[in-house]
Amino acid sequence: EAGLNDGVALVIFIAFWKLAKGEDWTAGDVVLYFLRLALGGVAVGFIFGNLSLYWLAHVSDRLKESHGIIQISLTIATGYLVFFTCEEVLEVSGVLGVLYAGIGVAKSGWPLFNSAGGMEEVWHTVEFYGNTLLFMLAGTITGKLVAVHASCHDDTCSNIEAQDYAWTLLFYVFMVVGRALMLLIVYPVLKFSGPGVSLSDCVVIWWGGLRG
């Protein structure tokens, strides 16, 4: 759910980023661009996921130790190939492509894995280091940009002024209020779905920024 949420958010961000750079798009162009990126990424991910399952089935001999290593290598290669094909060749969403390829492999691949535990541990490790590196780089780059623009005193860059911090705080308030409104709208569904969600649960979800 989190991957799907982030993938769709990235597609929408790219569309609006192009608009912010001055590209002349109509509302229809935005919708078509979104559909091409989203549906194209899903389709490519589905194809690569099934191809990966085909090859995983061909190296699914538990009596051969090397097949476990080959299977792990196949899943890693699939992730890179899906993203490269989507972003560089077909210009569709690589994030959604990788997501749906992973969903396909996870749905049908477990009986094929020589070492399900090994596969899980490797991908948990990749996820941990990937997340750590991503947030470290994001924080470093953002901090550097803030420091550079806060100390800028000429016309070569834009200064960060007091009102910019005020806008940031206001944006945070709107984000929190928007999350609360979203929960209020879907509360009847949450209350009567599965084990049900109470108002106290909704407060925790709202304050914690949880989804799903």
Side-chain angles (χ1 to χ4, degrees), residues 73-96:
S73 301
L74 272 172
T75 57
I76 295 174
T78 298
Y80 276 100
L81 284 172
V82 171
F83 191 85
F84 179 83
T85 303
C86 287
E87 293 287 341
E88 301 297 330
V89 179
L90 301 177
E91 296 185 353
V92 296
S93 174
V95 175
L96 289 178

Side-chain angles (χ1 to χ4, degrees), residues 136-154:
M136 184 181 69
L137 287 175
T140 303
I141 294 171
T142 302
K144 179 182 178 181
L145 289 174
V146 171
V148 168
H149 288 279
S151 60
C152 180
H153 302 292
D154 53 43

Side-chain angles (χ1 to χ4, degrees), residues 200-211:
S200 299
D201 295 329
C202 284
V203 171
V204 174
I205 294 171
W206 164 70
W207 183 247
L210 304 177
R211 302 182 300 272

